[in-house]
């Protein structure tokens, strides 16, 4: 079981922008639930002092990657992290879009394994390749 180590680094304590690490933050109104909002004069981003929804914590994406490697499903991941399954799916999609393909050096020996699968119907085949560098 993953313990909840969601630490809230309060902006009001540090005085530093969580996006650009600038010290030029000022108070900028409050939310509907009366939480203090801040704005950075350097990058013009708005943020809260401390977020209550766990999906906004900075360490949630590395946790999702770790749980995918462990083989957990979407709904079980949502239960463990105590966030919604839709949020887990969106985060997985954004993480997958930011994966940089590896640079393959020329002149090396590779081992290639392939798998064909279908998405929804047989007329929509997809291929999955796994490349091992020896
Ligand atoms: Zn900033």
């Amino acid at each position: 079981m993953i313990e909840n180590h969601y630490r809230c680094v309060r902006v009001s304590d540090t005085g530093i922008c969580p996006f650009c690490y600038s010290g030029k933050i000022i108070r900028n109104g409050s939310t509907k639930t009366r939480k203090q909002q801040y704005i950075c004069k350097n990058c013009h981003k708005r943020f809260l002092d401390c977020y209550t929804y766990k999906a906004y914590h900075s360490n949630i994406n590395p946790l999702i990657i770790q749980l995918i490697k462990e083989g957990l499903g979407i709904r079980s991941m949502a239960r463990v992290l105590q966030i919604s399954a839709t949020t887990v799916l969106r985060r997985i999609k954004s993480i997958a879009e930011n994966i940089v393909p590896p640079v393959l050096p020329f002149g090396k020996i590779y081992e290639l394994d392939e798998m064909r699968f279908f998405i929804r119907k047989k007329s929509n085949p997809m291929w999955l390749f796994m490349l091992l560098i020896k």
Side-chain angles (χ1 to χ4, degrees), residues 17 19-22 40 42-45 47:
C17 171
F19 299 100
C20 69
Y21 306 108
S22 166
C40 176
N42 190 30
C43 65
H44 305 287
K45 288 192 176 179
F47 42 89

Side-chain angles (χ1 to χ4, degrees), residues 48-106:
L48 294 182
D49 196 19
C50 184
Y51 290 94
T52 49
Y53 188 48
K54 291 177 177 138
Y56 288 127
H57 289 271
S58 61
N59 63 344
I60 205 79
N61 280 1
L63 271 175
I64 288 174
I65 294 170
Q66 182 184 355
L67 293 176
I68 288 172
K69 288 176 183 173
E70 291 291 328
L72 262 70
I74 306 294
R75 292 174 60 95
S76 60
M77 232 183 290
R79 267 193 310 274
V80 169
L81 298 174
Q82 296 175 341
I83 59 177
S84 76
T86 309
T87 305
V88 172
L89 272 172
R90 284 185 182 156
R91 291 296 175 94
I92 289 172
K93 193 175 172 189
S94 74
I95 290 168
E97 287 171 352
N98 291 326
I99 291 175
V100 179
V103 178
L104 300 175
F106 187 74

